[in-house]
Amino acid sequence: MIQDCLFCGIVAGTVPSVKVAEDDATYAFMDINPASEGHLLVVPKRHSTDLLEISADDLAAVTLAGQRIAKVAVRALGADGVNLLNCCGADAWQTVFHFHLHVIPRYVDKERDRLGMPWVPTPGDREAIAAAGATIAEALG
Ligand code: 5GP
Ligand code: ZN
C-alpha cells in the first residue's frame, strides 16, 4: 500500500468504488469516466507503478481476471466486442500510476460507446519497420 495512491485507496476501501470482483491478488471496479457502457478497471492489490514494473505473477493474475470479467461482461451487457487496454507512462496516456488494465466493452450502438481508434492505419516505411524490429530483436538477444 502506497500512501496517496488512489488505487491503493480503492483496494483498501478508504476510497469508494463500484466493486465488480476481487480475488487474492486482484480487484476490479467501474471506471468513473467510462469510455463505454461497462468500462471497468482491474488492478493488482499489491502496488506496482506500471507495466514495466509489475511482477509476472501479478501481471498474470490481472490479465486472467481481465479475461474472465471481459467474457462475462460481454455476455451480460450484450456487447459486440471488447478492448483490453493498458497505458504505461504519462506519454502513453497513463494518469494513475498504479498498474491497471482497462476492460472496455464495445458496441455497434454508439450511444453506448464513445471510444474511437486513436490512429489511422497507414502503411509505414518498410526500412524503418525492419530497423525497429531488428533493434528490438537484438535487444531481446
Ligand atoms: P489511465 O489514464 O491511467 O490509463 O486510466 C486511469 C483511469 O482511472 C481513467 O480511465 C479514469 O477515468 C479512472 N479514474 C480516475 N480516478 C478515478 C476514481 O477516483 N475512481 C474510479 N473508479 N476511476 C477513476
Ligand atoms: Zn497503488
Side-chain angles (χ1 to χ4, degrees):
M1 163 111 191
I2 300 281
Q3 292 296 330
D4 300 329
C5 171
L6 177 63
F7 289 174
C8 280
I10 285 179
V11 169
T14 54
V15 175
S17 69
V18 177
K19 176 180 153 181
V20 172
E22 72 177 310
D23 59 28
D24 287 351
T26 71
Y27 186 89
F29 58 100
M30 301 308 289
D31 196 299
I32 46 163
N33 304 301
S36 73
E37 188 180 318
H39 180 178
L40 61 97
L41 303 170
V42 187
V43 304
K45 287 185 172 174
R46 185 179 13 207
H47 179 91
S48 56
T49 304
D50 60 26
L51 179 70
L52 303 184
E53 187 192 272
I54 190 170
S55 71
D57 283 352
D58 278 346
L59 179 60
V62 169
T63 306
L64 290 171
Q67 185 200 34
R68 184 177 77 81
I69 295 166
K71 282 184 186 175
V72 173
V74 164
R75 200 169 55 238
L77 296 171
D80 303 299
V82 61
N83 285 111
L84 298 191
L85 172 72
N86 169 253
C87 303
C88 179
D91 291 329
W93 306 334
Q94 186 173 6
T95 58
V96 178
F97 292 86
H98 176 132
F99 180 88
H100 48 282
L101 192 60
H102 295 258
V103 176
I104 311 174
R106 304 300 310 282
Y107 305 90
V108 172
D109 177 359
K110 292 306 161 201
E111 290 197 357
R112 304 175 77 189
D113 188 329
R114 298 193 289 131
L115 196 61
M117 200 159 175
W119 78 97
V120 179
T122 311
D125 177 79
R126 285 178 184 229
E127 280 183 21
I129 293 168
T135 300
I136 297 165
E138 193 180 321
L140 285 168

